[in-house]
Amino acid sequence: MTNMKRIAVLILLLFILSIGAFAEYDKNHVKDVMQDNIQLMGKIGKAAASEDFSAAAEALMELAQGMISISEYSPARGTDESWDKIFDGFLNSVYRGIGACGTQDIDGLNKAFAELRAFNSEGHKAHK
């Protein structure tokens, strides 16, 4: 293969890979995740109130999976920087909540849950 062909193949490959790096905003997917989040936040709140750490951890894990599935989108409204900051904070709060469930730390779970509600509010103000 000549150098020109190699360069052309490399450029084509990089172009194809770059398309996948910038996920197009999927309004329906985001809406579905957000609707699921409403139910999951309710489950987390109820589980925390009854100190059911297993149920809280399960709902927190589902919450994380949904948010991760939409985190690579560029927001339809607001800045990418704000979107990324909110997602990072939200997911870190989820992980702290899961950790609190693992140690049966109700104060830690309640703190993480309060952070999630705050990030939820901030995200909706900036991006809804």
Side-chain angles (χ1 to χ4, degrees):
M1 189 181 277
T2 68
N3 282 338
M4 288 300 283
K5 285 183 181 179
R6 286 183 184 152
I7 291 171
V9 169
L10 180 61
I11 290 171
L12 180 62
L13 182 61
L14 288 173
F15 175 74
I16 292 169
L17 292 174
S18 71
I19 291 171
F22 299 100
E24 186 176 329
Y25 187 83
D26 182 342
K27 183 178 179 178
N28 290 329
H29 183 211
V30 172
K31 185 177 177 182
D32 289 344
V33 168
M34 293 302 161
Q35 287 176 344
D36 289 346
N37 286 357
I38 292 168
Q39 293 176 0
L40 291 168
M41 291 290 282
K43 286 180 182 179
I44 295 164
K46 287 178 185 175
S50 64
E51 297 189 26
D52 184 347
F53 295 104
S54 293
E58 184 178 319
L60 284 161
M61 286 187 274
E62 285 184 58
L63 190 68
Q65 290 170 337
M67 293 300 282
I68 289 168
S69 76
I70 64 171
S71 66
E72 294 304 314
Y73 294 147
S74 289
R77 186 176 145 226
T79 66
D80 284 342
E81 182 177 67
S82 169
W83 179 266
D84 292 342
K85 179 182 166 246
I86 291 167
F87 266 91
D88 289 346
F90 190 92
L91 288 172
N92 285 328
S93 294
V94 168
Y95 302 145
R96 280 192 293 279
I98 293 168
C101 289
T103 60
Q104 297 189 349
D105 174 8
I106 192 62
D107 292 332
L109 176 57
N110 286 328
K111 181 179 178 186
F113 186 58
E115 291 171 357
L116 290 172
R117 289 193 317 249
F119 280 116
N120 185 28
S121 177
E122 182 181 351
H124 284 132
K125 285 178 188 173
H127 301 287
K128 185 174 180 184

